[in-house]
Amino acid sequence: MKLTVTLTYAAPPSQIGRMLVDEEFQRQVCSATGDAQARVSVLDSADGAKVRTSRRLPTDRLPDAMRALVGHHIIVVQSTRWPGARTDAGWTGTVVVAVEGKPVRLEATATVVPSAGGTTITYSGDLVAHIPFLGGKVERAVEPIVRSALEAEQRVGAQWLGAPPG
């Protein structure tokens, strides 16, 4: 299933670029999604940045039948790659969100562009559950969890930047 999430920030893309590769910022995003013990790693160099988070999320928002398949928690691993040059002109990165041990995966492009009064990030990709006969149902059930994890970035980012969410 197609998934698009758009976030806005009241800061220029270069400032957002610094925020996105800040390890403490990533820890706060994970905490906002319900895992204060998440694993976070950030490798940032002139060639680009790799951000990886692994968080344990509750499945209480899933239908009972789906929760019976995945349990009371899932481990969501998000791997993001950003280019080395994160300027005010904008840039594009890649994001992979996978549910550990389950055949569920989001592969997306993250497009960062300047916008009126700040920056817009659009995550756009395909959320796929490779489960015979149930794939579509699992995708629809997991989509709100994946969307919420991406949207937490904006809520935390607004606080980080000292501005209300866009």
Side-chain angles (χ1 to χ4, degrees):
M1 89 182 305
K2 293 286 184 195
L3 176 67
T4 300
V5 176
T6 301
L7 312 177
T8 58
Y9 297 97
S14 59
Q15 186 176 355
I16 300 307
R18 289 187 298 275
M19 177 183 76
L20 293 172
V21 299
D22 186 286
E23 191 168 321
E24 181 55 30
F25 170 74
Q26 292 296 330
R27 286 188 193 290
Q28 288 182 24
V29 171
C30 291
S31 184
T33 62
D35 187 355
Q37 304 300 317
R39 294 189 318 248
V40 175
S41 68
V42 176
L43 300 170
D44 191 13
S45 71
D47 294 332
K50 297 176 188 174
V51 178
R52 185 177 190 276
T53 63
S54 177
R55 43 194 137 164
R56 184 175 186 253
L57 301 177
T59 58
D60 55 349
R61 292 174 45 192
L62 292 178
D64 290 341
M66 295 296 164
R67 198 169 346 152
L69 293 173
V70 299
H72 294 287
H73 293 89
I74 55 175
I75 304 296
V76 176
V77 178
Q78 181 174 334
S79 300
T80 307
R81 290 181 180 255
W82 298 114
R86 295 180 297 274
T87 67
D88 284 337
W91 68 91
T92 301
T94 59
V95 179
V96 175
V97 180
V99 178
E100 191 172 271
K102 309 293 182 217
V104 179
R105 182 178 182 94
L106 168 69
E107 293 189 11
T109 299
T111 306
V112 181
V113 296
S115 59
T119 301
T120 298
I121 302 175
T122 302
Y123 294 100
S124 182
D126 294 304
L127 176 63
V128 179
H130 293 285
I131 302 171
F133 308 111
L134 296 175
K137 287 183 180 183
V138 172
E139 290 166 8
R140 288 186 296 280
V142 171
E143 185 271 346
I145 294 172
V146 174
R147 178 178 296 280
S148 178
L150 291 171
E151 289 173 344
E153 180 182 293
Q154 181 172 304
R155 291 189 307 275
V156 174
Q159 292 173 345
W160 185 269
L161 298 166

